[in-house]
Amino acid sequence: MAASRKEPTILEAFFPILFLIVLLVINILIFGTDGLSGSNQMVLVISSAVAGIVAIFRLHIKWGKLQDGIVKSISAAMSSILILLLIGALAGTWLLSGIVPAMIYYGLQILNPTIFLIAACIVSAIVSIATGSSWTTVATVGVALLGIGKALGFGEGLIAGAILSGAYFGDKMSPLSDTTNLAPAMAGTDLFTHIRHMTKTTVPSILIALIIFGVIGFVSGTEGSVSQVKEISAVIVENFNVNGWLFIVPVLVLVMIVKKVPAVPALLAGALLGGAFAVIFQPDVIRAIANEPGESFLYQAYKGVMMSLYGEIRIITNNEVVNELLVTGGMAGMLNTIWLIVCAMIFGGIMEESGMLRVLAEAIIEKVHSVGSLIASTAATCVFFNVTTSDQYLAILVPGRMYADIYRKRGLKPENLSRTLEDSATVTSVLIPWNTCGATQASVLGVATLTYAPYCFFNIISPFMTILFGYLKLGINFYTEEEMVEIKKELAV
């Protein structure tokens, strides 16, 4: 007679997570920032195996049940995987069409020496929203802004703080960002609902940061040259047909978001419109990408647009900074993130099906008696995983799976969880020296993490803002009584 299924103890439930943390720390020491290329994914698979061993041999759960849990968990993330692929395609055509370069060009025009810190923050935010990547923003425009700021007489820690504040604001708010897609996938909501809900805490946080940078900038009163910014702008204009018509595409996508058009058709429309605008406005860029001088333009246009949709394209100029900025990976560029999501959902599926996540969550929820304390606990958990696993993705993935059902039981819609994940996990990763984000940005900028961290006002304010909103019950979305009846039935199954 088969042994009956057992309830996991706290120790049994925590052991796979502890194993995951230890293995990730080792992984970071060996692979550093290259962990997303495959080693972090393998760590999740191995940790899933450990969780499976605990579930089978300690809790007497059959493999078939665990496999069903894995399939269910991955299925829940499929819509986000589709969105990620389309975002890769959109990023490609928006680069090819000149939309992203135009955003960068006009963003750079607002730079003014008298308000340099505010301008650096805003420029970084614009570029990060356009590219969906804080890392790309910092490695390109950020490096240029750091040099300009130092020439103007500002301290490098302060300049880096302004750049990173803007870059991580843009990273959070951009539909092109992998973390902005990862958080709603883990919480169980959709991308655009997540972004709309995030504005409630993110906009006040960046406004406070801008006020602080403005006060510091006006008190400092430094002045100098902005030749590097002019050089970048000149290179963009030289290689692209930059004009206001290009903004029709992002405006249309924005209108679709506001009108609550589902993410998949909205992003597909944006990607295809980007390809059409590339044909209309950037024929020279298309010819360079297609690299088929003997063929007709129709042939070249088809090949160039298709390449931008599925794979990596690079726009080569005579400026290295611009070259680093004008590159995108298309759909293929999203595969590592998708790989990570699938592996994380395997781990989460086993942890959920075995009851281990539920036991850990119940241990936490026993000490949580209000909306504010639940959100504070979530934020603290995210920071804990940023510190211990040294990876912002894991700081979103694991707490996202841990807290998803707790929020539902408390009547809180999933966008409250996804917002808290971003307000705490995404932005604090860069403040930790041994985290992949902190190590990378310190290396790219040449400024020590602990030197810039005190000036990353947006990143510091964000987790406190989300906790404050939780305790004050501001901007919190609750389920209706009818919805709660259905949720209780679902959770009881």
Side-chain angles (χ1 to χ4, degrees):
M1 185 176 175
S4 60
R5 177 169 175 163
K6 288 175 57 182
E7 185 78 1
T9 64
I10 289 289
L11 184 60
E12 288 169 338
F14 188 66
F15 180 74
I17 290 181
L18 180 63
F19 182 88
L20 172 67
I21 291 170
V22 171
L23 209 56
L24 279 168
V25 170
I26 295 170
N27 207 49
I28 293 300
L29 292 174
I30 294 173
F31 290 98
T33 58
D34 198 37
L36 188 60
S37 298
S39 55
N40 283 353
Q41 288 88 330
M42 290 312 304
V43 165
L44 279 163
V45 171
I46 295 168
S47 299
S48 299
V50 170
I53 289 170
V54 173
I56 293 168
F57 293 102
R58 293 288 300 175
L59 308 179
H60 309 304
I61 302 172
K62 293 184 181 297
W63 167 248
K65 293 291 289 181
L66 295 178
Q67 184 169 279
D68 289 343
I70 291 170
V71 171
K72 181 180 177 182
S73 182
I74 293 174
S75 296
M78 283 308 298
S79 62
S80 295
I81 289 172
L82 288 173
I83 289 169
L84 275 173
L85 288 170
L86 287 171
I87 282 169
L90 183 143
T93 61
W94 281 24
L95 173 60
L96 189 68
S97 64
I99 294 170
V100 169
M103 288 180 176
I104 295 169
Y105 173 80
Y106 288 115
L108 288 172
Q109 304 316 301
I110 70 173
L111 195 62
N112 186 312
T114 60
I115 52 168
F116 173 77
L117 294 175
I118 293 178
C121 186
I122 292 173
V123 167
S124 299
I126 291 171
V127 174
S128 192
I129 289 172
T131 62
S133 171
S134 56
W135 287 29
T136 299
T137 300
V138 173
T140 52
V141 172
V143 172
L145 289 170
L146 183 70
I148 296 165
K150 288 167 75 173
L152 296 175
F154 290 102
E156 61 181 15
L158 181 58
I159 305 165
I163 294 166
L164 290 166
S165 290
Y168 275 82
F169 167 81
D171 196 309
K172 277 184 64 181
M173 299 306 295
S174 174
L176 306 180
S177 167
D178 46 7
T179 57
T180 308
N181 283 270
L182 198 57
M186 293 304 101
T189 188
D190 66 90
L191 173 64
F192 295 151
T193 298
H194 167 62
I195 292 174
R196 283 193 297 267
H197 195 58
M198 216 167 23
T199 58
K200 299 173 186 176
T201 55
T202 304
V203 171
S205 297
I206 195 65
L207 288 176
I208 294 171
L210 287 171
I211 290 169
I212 296 171
F213 286 127
V215 171
I216 295 173
F218 280 114
V219 169
S220 300
T222 54
E223 292 188 5
S225 170
V226 291
S227 58
Q228 290 184 61
V229 170
K230 290 181 179 178
E231 183 181 346
I232 292 171
S233 299
V235 171
I236 290 174
V237 170
E238 182 182 336
N239 287 273
F240 288 91
N241 176 9
V242 176
N243 60 74
W245 294 109
L246 294 170
F247 289 93
I248 290 174
V249 177
V251 167
L252 286 174
V253 173
L254 203 60
V255 169
M256 284 188 278
I257 293 171
V258 172
K259 294 291 186 180
K260 298 185 179 181
V261 173
V264 169
L267 291 171
L268 178 59
L272 295 178
L273 283 170
F277 271 54
V279 175
I280 296 168
F281 292 104
Q282 314 297 342
D284 292 338
V285 177
I286 282 180
R287 291 188 184 97
I289 293 297
N291 195 25
E292 296 278 5
E295 299 292 341
S296 68
F297 180 68
L298 184 62
Y299 178 95
Q300 294 174 326
Y302 180 85
K303 182 177 179 181
V305 172
M306 191 62 71
M307 287 173 65
S308 71
L309 286 165
Y310 73 76
E312 180 180 290
I313 60 168
R314 292 178 179 272
I315 312 297
I316 305 301
T317 72
N318 58 5
N319 185 293
E320 287 301 319
V321 173
V322 177
N323 289 347
E324 287 296 319
L325 190 60
L326 302 182
V327 58
T328 180
M331 282 190 173
M334 294 296 181
L335 293 180
N336 275 345
T337 303
I338 291 170
W339 184 12
L340 182 75
I341 290 174
V342 171
C343 292
M345 300 312 278
I346 292 171
F347 180 76
I350 293 175
M351 292 291 288
E352 280 189 278
E353 182 61 37
S354 63
M356 287 188 271
L357 269 187
R358 177 176 49 78
V359 167
L360 289 172
E362 286 174 353
I364 295 169
I365 204 169
E366 283 178 4
K367 305 182 185 303
V368 172
H369 304 291
S370 68
V371 172
S373 58
L374 176 57
I375 290 175
S377 297
T378 308
T381 305
C382 291
V383 174
F384 170 78
F385 273 90
N386 255 333
V387 172
T388 55
T389 68
S390 303
D391 186 274
Q392 69 170 343
Y393 297 101
L394 272 299
I396 292 172
L397 288 163
V398 180
R401 302 308 298 168
M402 282 178 62
Y403 284 95
D405 282 347
I406 298 177
Y407 273 68
R408 295 176 73 199
K409 288 178 181 177
R410 290 296 180 93
L412 298 171
K413 288 189 174 182
E415 56 263 32
N416 298 295
L417 172 58
S418 63
R419 181 178 72 187
T420 306
L421 295 175
E422 284 247 70
D423 282 347
S424 50
T426 300
V427 299
T428 60
S429 58
V430 75
L431 305 177
I432 300 160
W434 54 88
N435 189 285
T436 52
C437 292
T440 299
Q441 307 299 19
S443 175
V444 168
L445 291 172
V447 182
T449 308
L450 296 180
T451 300
Y452 68 64
Y455 302 105
C456 292
F457 300 121
F458 171 74
N459 307 67
I460 295 168
I461 292 166
S462 285
F464 291 105
M465 185 66 71
T466 201
I467 292 170
L468 178 65
F469 270 55
Y471 277 107
L472 297 178
K473 293 187 179 179
L474 292 174
I476 305 295
N477 290 354
F478 293 93
Y479 285 112
T480 63
E481 290 184 9
E482 293 79 9
E483 289 172 327
M484 282 304 299
V485 170
E486 293 301 318
I487 288 169
K488 287 176 182 178
K489 287 180 182 177
E490 183 183 334
L491 293 172
V493 172

